[in-house]
Amino acid sequence: MAVRPVLTFPDESLKRTAEPVEAFDDALRRAVADLEETMRAGPAAVGIAAPQVGWGRRVVIIDASARPQWPNHGRLVLVNPEIVAWEGSVVGREGCLSVPDYTGNVVRAERLTLEAFDERGGPLRYEMEGFEARVAQHEIDHLNGLLFIDRVVSRRKDLFRRKVYR
Ligand code: NI
């Protein structure tokens, strides 16, 4: 396993639409292991998407268990994820390993139903709400070439420079 470098804005490859995974093989599982190690190496990371390490496939890993006040399913590897139903909308603050200098206020669906496959091609279906639903939407955006800074209503009012701790 290996930690891979995380691409940061404005790297053009973060804007590309990722391709679906077709082979659920050992190469996929090795790449997922690298992706997870990269996520765990990041500061307070709760999710990562394959395009962030230059892997142009529809794979995300989320782990919302760091915020136990919200219901969550723990660590999930989601291959070819699709949001099939959603409701409500709520504003919340987001950050991203690929946008290290800013956080932003982003409107997301409050609840959703997500379908995906696991690393062996088995079908998955989850109901998510709150923080976990937000993380899933943020990571799936990466598969469609979108960053949270593309979703803020006003870059002037809704983007915040991160404080630098020395
Ligand atoms: Ni991100």
Side-chain angles (χ1 to χ4, degrees), residues 108-136:
R108 300 285 187 186
E110 217 171 347
R111 283 174 295 282
L112 56 83
T113 304
L114 180 152
E115 292 180 353
F117 296 90
D118 66 20
E119 294 157 275
R120 299 187 177 274
L124 302 172
R125 185 181 169 94
Y126 294 104
E127 312 284 330
M128 296 181 175
E129 63 178 294
F131 181 65
E132 185 179 50
R134 174 170 298 276
V135 174

Side-chain angles (χ1 to χ4, degrees), residues 47-49 52 95-99 138-139 142 147-148:
I48 195 167
Q52 292 182 271
C96 180
L97 294 172
S98 295
V99 189
H138 175 115
E139 299 310 336
H142 279 296
L147 299 173
F148 76 86

Side-chain angles (χ1 to χ4, degrees), residues 59-138:
V59 177
V60 307
I61 302 174
I62 71 172
D63 186 351
S65 62
R67 305 255 186 111
Q69 64 269 39
W70 288 102
N72 69 83
H73 299 88
R75 171 243 189 225
L76 298 176
V77 175
L78 303 170
V79 179
N80 298 344
E82 271 191 72
I83 295 168
V84 296
W86 54 89
E87 64 175 11
S89 71
V90 61
V91 177
R93 191 68 73 90
E94 296 185 14
C96 180
L97 294 172
S98 295
V99 189
D101 297 336
Y102 289 90
T103 61
N105 285 333
V106 184
V107 180
R108 300 285 187 186
E110 217 171 347
R111 283 174 295 282
L112 56 83
T113 304
L114 180 152
E115 292 180 353
F117 296 90
D118 66 20
E119 294 157 275
R120 299 187 177 274
L124 302 172
R125 185 181 169 94
Y126 294 104
E127 312 284 330
M128 296 181 175
E129 63 178 294
F131 181 65
E132 185 179 50
R134 174 170 298 276
V135 174
Q137 290 168 86
H138 175 115

